[in-house]
Amino acid sequence: MPKITLPDGSVREYDKPVSALEVAESIGSRLAKAAVGAKVDGALTDLSTVIERDAEVAIITEKTRDGEQDTDALYLLRHSAAHVMAEAIQRIVPGAQLVYGPPLEDRFYYDIRFPDDRPLKEGDFEAIEKEMAAIVKDDRAFTRYELPLDEGMTKLKGEGSKYKLDNAERAVAAGSGALSFYATGEPGKNWEDLCRGPHVPSTGRVGAFKILSLSSSYWHGDENSDRLTRVYGTAFFSKKDLDQHLERLEEAKKRDHRVLGKALDLFHQDDDVGQGLILWTPRGAQVRKQLQKFISRELERQGYTEVFTPHIGKLELYKTSGHFPYYQDSQFPPIVDRENLNRLAGDGCSCAQLANLMGEGDINGFLLKPMNCPHHMKIYGSRPRSYRDLPVRLAEFGTVYRWEQSGELNGMTRVRGFTQDDAHLFCTPEQLGDELQGCLELVKIIFDALGMDDYRVRVGLRDPDSGKYVGDPAKWDAAEQACRDAAKTLGVPFSEEPGEAAFYGPKIDFVVKDVIGREWQLGTVQCDYNLPERFDLSYIGADGQAHRPVVIHRAPFGSMERFIGVLIEHFSGAFPLWLAPEQVRVMPISEKSLDYGRKIHEQLVEAGFRATLDDSDERVQLKIRRGAEMKVPYSVIVGPKDEEAGTVSLRVFGLPDAQGSLPIAAFVEALQNEDASRGKKRAADLLATPAS
RNA sequence: GCCGCUGUAGCUCAGUGGUAGAGCGCACCCUUGGUAAGGGUGAGGUCGCGGGUUCAAAUCCCGCCAGCGGCUCCA
């Protein structure tokens, strides 16, 4: 007879097997009413699941005890909403075949194969939602039943859905002993779907939902396989929560770096220039410049030396490095020089033959560099190195070009030409650990300065079962341990991911989320035993013998494009003073104060600030509004009173109540403090904030 | 690259077969105004590009280009 242990530690005994619902009822009728599912020994189940043995049981309700939305409850809800949506869609589009419909973090989708002559359109959303509302109103119970494998398979075969049949086969392969189905209502009478579950008790619990978007996917994620339509939706228990969520999505859209980039004039992309190529407008260029200045200063502190290398190199170079043969598909095709081209043309070479020659690399030419490493390898190798010179740390804001698939391009976060904050560290195997730590310290310093704490770290290790890795296993072990240690010292949570290492060495990746919740890999720190080999690099050790150095590739912020894209979203475009493209805008109250305004502006510029003067013939209210629209940190208002007193009156972006006047010298000093401290000391602190 | 959606003024968008609109921005004039929009006048568009249907196309059809949402990939 089951002994049920509840989350509070209390134990209840039952004289026969009980369903989770019955457990809830025995605790209280209100709980039973609020219950949407259960967790039995940690596994999420239906409320109707019968518990036959001793177990730890938690009843899942819409809200946790602290009144928060329960994530398990939302999972059940969204999974159930996916069923409701699928039923609605099948009513509207007969012949639509269901494939796979899981809940996600904040929404759900269903992959569906539509008949070719009846694709789903966004215009169908309204009808589907209406149909869904009707199903919800019916408040039919989600009814689970199981069939033995053979019976279940026969049933599925009879229904003729190759996708569901495939799902079932995969379930069997994964060790399932039976197939479970969920009917919304009565099996055999109402709509049903092969499904692992679990679900909320009935369709009536699906409170508020919305179909969000339409996209496509491939069966099994294989582009050569069937193309499916993926219908995204989201669901909440209450209309209020749904509306809140939709509002948040709207808000997020406003923070999107592509939207802000345009509104704040930070960057521009132009059809005539090309897809995935960023034009940094003056304001965006200023942000990048300040950031690079900061990074460069930290690099100097850490003993890096900066280098500059060209944007192209001989094809041969990239054959040596291995980039050309291995990653050809993501490179721009080689550049063949005119002489070569003319000779080939003279020989009657066809386009197809030329393409072939290029593909094989069997031609002289140049490549737009997809990586900076080969050039840096050559700098290292340009003269003999002693162990006393090591580590050699070569840094470059190096621009590289990669042929990303057109469908992948995205604002500044996925582009075809970008500048990496790249560096290569050449060191002895013994120095590897310290150097890795140094890399991570740098990342920490810069993330801290930017107030970025929402990132995760992945340590990519080799897959023990794969033979694709180059180099000595003992060295790998040491390098992997060094990566782990370095990540530990960083003091942020990290995950170890076997199989995620590059073939030439383990790596540490930094991943951040954008406002829409998409994850982007920023930087990476990678150990490399391969390139030094390929370029035959060496140093003379204390023993007088030549040794192979180890290389660390590191671009902790990935690319300036992606990083600043993420930064724009991080700050909602309101950059701190030290990064702001326009730090101060001087706004004379009227023409009468224009001369004084000019004087103040000049003083600010002289003091090294990015200051502008709004000398337009407008009222100060409008000038302030415009300054705020561009998110300028400080608005300096000057009128006759200021002129008389030698002061400036301030308005601080984001702090509309912090107002007041300061002598100009005091303001300049305060700004300098804020700039130099990267915001730790704020000029705004000098202002009286009215008690509220 | 694939699937779907979208493309109208510098920006945001309205316009479903009958000669193209609004708000903001811009220019000029009036206004000289103390912390988020003072008033007026005006300029500005081969309706993404190319083809087709039609007496007539921003609008319907086809192709292409680009953006967006996904899929796949990412040294």
Side-chain angles (χ1 to χ4, degrees):
Chain A
M1 295 303 98
K3 237 185 346 187
I4 305 286
T5 311
L6 296 168
D8 64 359
S10 65
V11 179
R12 281 167 186 261
E13 277 200 64
Y14 298 85
D15 50 15
K16 59 177 171 40
V18 282
S19 71
L21 179 65
E22 285 165 334
V23 173
E25 274 164 350
S26 75
I27 297 170
S29 60
R30 266 212 322 215
L31 178 68
K33 224 175 135 196
V36 292
K39 241 180 185 171
V40 177
D41 287 334
L44 206 53
T45 67
D46 292 318
L47 216 45
S48 59
T49 300
V50 174
I51 305 153
E52 316 205 355
R53 270 171 300 177
D54 293 359
E56 288 185 14
V57 173
I59 302 299
I60 308 273
T61 54
E62 186 180 323
K63 300 254 163 91
T64 63
R65 286 185 198 180
D66 334 320
E68 297 283 311
Q69 288 278 339
D70 188 286
T71 49
D72 290 322
L74 285 171
Y75 179 94
L76 292 171
L77 171 77
R78 291 183 181 134
H79 191 183
S80 304
H83 275 230
V84 172
M85 182 178 81
E87 178 176 353
I89 288 175
Q90 285 197 321
R91 280 196 200 172
I92 289 168
V93 187
Q97 295 197 57
L98 305 180
V99 184
Y100 182 57
L104 305 173
E105 198 179 319
D106 59 352
R107 49 192 180 156
F108 62 86
Y109 68 81
Y110 218 119
D111 278 344
I112 300 174
R113 170 78 200 195
F114 285 91
D116 290 344
D117 56 347
R118 179 59 173 94
L120 199 70
K121 298 241 161 93
E122 277 174 13
D124 293 319
F125 287 5
E126 217 184 304
I128 297 170
E129 285 173 352
K130 231 170 132 181
E131 207 57 49
M132 287 172 74
I135 296 165
V136 168
K137 200 164 165 241
D138 286 351
D139 196 14
R140 300 195 303 256
F142 275 93
T143 313
R144 178 190 176 100
Y145 69 95
E146 290 189 6
L147 292 180
L149 289 182
D150 50 346
E151 224 174 294
M153 285 295 185
T154 313
K155 173 180 159 65
L156 287 171
K157 270 179 202 145
E159 287 166 5
S161 165
K162 71 166 172 175
Y163 306 108
K164 284 291 164 183
L165 202 55
D166 174 73
N167 286 353
E169 276 159 8
R170 285 147 83 86
V172 173
S176 262
L179 295 177
S180 61
F181 294 81
Y182 278 81
T184 37
E186 277 179 52
K189 193 173 150 216
N190 292 106
W191 185 88
E192 60 181 60
D193 190 13
L194 170 79
C195 177
R196 187 180 57 183
H199 285 283
V200 295
S202 74
T203 59
R205 303 305 283 268
V206 181
F209 51 84
K210 186 167 177 59
I211 300 182
L212 296 174
S213 63
L214 220 49
S215 65
S216 86
S217 59
Y218 301 104
W219 195 28
H220 298 169
D222 174 4
E223 66 177 298
N224 298 313
S225 189
D226 297 4
R227 273 191 293 277
L228 311 170
T229 301
R230 179 168 293 184
V231 191
Y232 280 94
T234 191
F236 288 86
F237 286 102
S238 74
K239 174 95 169 63
K240 200 177 125 219
D241 289 334
L242 173 67
D243 288 345
Q244 243 176 37
H245 177 74
L246 295 176
E247 238 168 76
R248 271 200 302 273
L249 290 183
E250 284 302 310
E251 280 307 305
K253 246 190 229 164
K254 285 184 204 152
R255 280 176 68 156
D256 191 312
H257 75 279
R258 294 164 297 189
V259 173
L260 286 172
K262 206 175 252 182
L264 303 179
D265 196 10
L266 296 168
F267 67 95
H268 172 67
Q269 289 185 85
D270 198 296
D271 285 1
D272 293 336
V273 174
Q275 271 188 298
L277 301 172
I278 301 293
L279 304 177
W280 294 79
T281 50
R283 297 182 82 92
Q286 196 55 257
V287 177
R288 170 171 165 177
K289 188 172 134 189
Q290 297 310 322
L291 185 65
Q292 287 189 188
K293 217 163 104 184
F294 174 42
I295 296 173
S296 290
R297 179 69 195 107
E298 292 303 321
L299 291 178
E300 280 167 20
R301 284 212 169 99
Q302 286 204 4
Y304 285 74
T305 45
E306 262 188 84
V307 299
F308 297 104
T309 67
H311 289 208
I312 65 174
K314 273 191 185 171
L315 199 48
E316 201 56 37
L317 180 71
Y318 300 97
K319 284 198 247 170
T320 303
S321 69
H323 293 121
F324 181 74
Y326 294 137
Y327 304 111
Q328 221 187 98
D329 287 348
S330 42
Q331 291 163 4
F332 281 77
I335 302 162
V336 180
D337 67 78
R338 206 171 293 283
E339 217 171 284
N340 224 326
L341 221 45
N342 286 341
R343 187 178 53 74
L344 287 163
D347 293 348
C349 176
S350 71
C351 288
Q353 285 166 324
L354 180 63
N356 237 337
L357 287 172
M358 279 193 178
E360 306 283 314
D362 210 5
I363 194 169
N364 289 325
F366 293 86
L367 199 64
L368 265 175
K369 68 177 175 187
M371 291 286 255
N372 297 305
C373 3
H375 287 163
H376 292 184
M377 297 298 126
K378 285 296 180 187
I379 291 177
Y380 177 90
S382 64
R383 59 189 191 79
R385 306 281 178 175
S386 146
Y387 73 98
R388 293 172 187 277
D389 299 329
L390 266 43
V392 169
R393 308 183 184 95
L394 303 178
E396 177 179 18
F397 287 100
T399 305
V400 297
Y401 300 87
R402 297 181 191 176
W403 187 262
E404 301 288 355
Q405 296 190 98
S406 65
E408 265 312 314
L409 299 172
N410 183 286
M412 287 183 119
T413 41
R414 189 58 148 253
V415 292
R416 283 183 176 159
F418 54 93
T419 302
Q420 295 180 309
D421 61 316
D422 209 357
H424 294 90
L425 288 73
F426 302 80
C427 60
T428 67
E430 296 73 39
Q431 290 168 331
L432 186 65
D434 283 349
E435 289 308 305
L436 284 173
Q437 296 227 356
C439 291
L440 297 202
E441 262 161 44
L442 179 74
V443 172
K444 198 171 167 56
I445 287 169
I446 289 164
F447 277 11
D448 281 352
L450 293 164
M452 295 178 74
D453 42 23
D454 192 15
Y455 59 96
R456 62 188 190 93
V457 176
R458 285 190 307 222
V459 179
L461 307 173
R462 69 193 190 284
D463 173 0
D465 300 327
S466 166
K468 72 168 181 175
Y469 303 99
V470 301
D472 170 9
K475 281 185 185 164
W476 267 88
D477 288 340
E480 289 185 344
Q481 194 50 46
C483 283
R484 263 188 220 109
D485 291 346
K488 253 176 231 158
T489 331
L490 188 63
V492 295
F494 66 95
S495 58
E496 292 186 20
E497 303 189 9
E500 288 302 305
F503 71 88
Y504 48 74
K507 61 176 184 174
I508 303 166
D509 290 334
F510 303 91
V511 179
V512 296
K513 265 188 196 168
D514 71 9
V515 288
I516 331 177
R518 286 183 291 207
E519 285 201 323
W520 296 99
Q521 183 183 318
L522 282 185
T524 175
V525 176
Q526 310 188 341
C527 306
D528 188 347
Y529 297 102
N530 181 44
L531 273 190
E533 201 76 42
R534 283 176 167 268
F535 282 93
D536 193 22
L537 301 182
S538 64
Y539 63 90
I540 304 300
D543 57 4
Q545 302 294 307
H547 298 272
R548 195 71 81 198
V550 185
V551 162
I552 300 172
H553 304 254
R554 40 113 288 172
F557 310 108
S559 74
M560 300 316 286
E561 283 75 6
R562 181 176 291 178
F563 192 56
I564 285 179
V566 169
L567 270 193
I568 291 169
E569 301 188 352
H570 174 66
F571 289 120
S572 287
F575 291 105
L577 186 76
W578 67 280
L579 282 175
E582 181 183 353
Q583 298 175 298
V584 186
R585 190 178 290 188
V586 181
M587 306 170 181
I589 283 196
S590 76
E591 218 175 317
K592 288 177 189 155
S593 306
L594 190 50
D595 280 340
Y596 183 62
R598 286 202 178 102
K599 225 174 81 190
I600 297 296
H601 174 238
E602 269 169 36
Q603 282 186 49
L604 288 166
V605 171
E606 199 46 48
F609 292 105
R610 302 183 286 282
T612 58
L613 176 71
D614 184 347
D615 58 0
S616 66
D617 184 19
E618 296 291 352
R619 297 172 70 202
V620 72
Q621 284 87 337
L622 186 64
K623 295 184 182 185
I624 285 166
R625 183 185 159 87
R626 290 188 179 163
E629 275 171 351
M630 293 310 279
K631 311 200 181 203
V632 178
Y634 287 95
S635 295
V636 166
I637 292 127
V638 291
K641 283 182 240 164
D642 293 293
E643 182 160 11
E644 205 165 303
T647 58
V648 292
S649 299
L650 296 179
R651 187 186 172 91
V652 187
F653 183 83
L655 296 170
D657 293 334
Q659 294 174 9
S661 297
L662 286 182
I664 174 67
F667 178 53
V668 168
E669 194 191 327
L671 273 185
Q672 275 162 342
N673 282 334
E674 178 167 345
D675 199 17
S677 71
R678 292 198 185 82
K680 287 198 186 73
K681 298 179 199 156
R682 295 206 55 181
D685 295 342
L686 297 180
L687 302 174
T689 310
S692 52

